[in-house]
Amino acid sequence: MVEIKVAFYVLGALFGIKNSRIAAEKTLVTVDPIAKTIVIVEEDLFTVIQEENDSVLVSEEFLKIQKRDWIPEIKGYAEKSVEFYTDENNLLNAKVVLKYNTFEDLSTYALGVAPNGDYSLIQVPNWNVESTDGQLNDMYWNFDASKPFSFTMEAYKDMPEKYKADKVSLTAMWEAANKG
């Protein structure tokens, strides 16, 4: 279950890729309970290249994502899309838009219902969650279930130094994989 819950900041988890190598510096999640949509914007996609074969594995992961073979929990959603784009700083970003069917579908993203009926997200310190729409109460972020809400996550903000030296932006790799 933990693997699925990190889908917000590990892009490959949405496509059933075990040990995904594509991650995001910052993730903005917006949930609209009225329209039943989740928009996940993953900013500054990167990977850690430590071995010669790592770039090949990341390229293969991009190909799997392009095939849009979503995890079983998402396959039945009314709508689903993923779009890659570069920003003004030439950083690769991804925007995932999902239209879910029922509230229970949100459990895939570690979202639950608090005793008062609000939506809740477990507070994991390493996720570095921030929100102006929610309230942090003990171990959970709580969000009003009657209106849209959003939060950001920076799960790699405190990345160990030994990995920082091998961190690589995915812009050039994405552009090379999509030429022609």
Side-chain angles (χ1 to χ4, degrees), residues 59-78:
S59 294
E60 289 172 359
E61 191 169 330
F62 272 136
L63 290 174
K64 287 180 183 178
I65 291 170
Q66 285 180 302
K67 290 179 182 177
R68 306 297 196 264
D69 189 16
W70 302 89
I71 59 173
E73 293 86 352
I74 295 175
K75 283 187 179 182
Y77 282 19

Side-chain angles (χ1 to χ4, degrees), residues 103 114 151 154 177:
F103 171 76
F151 56 90
E154 294 182 85

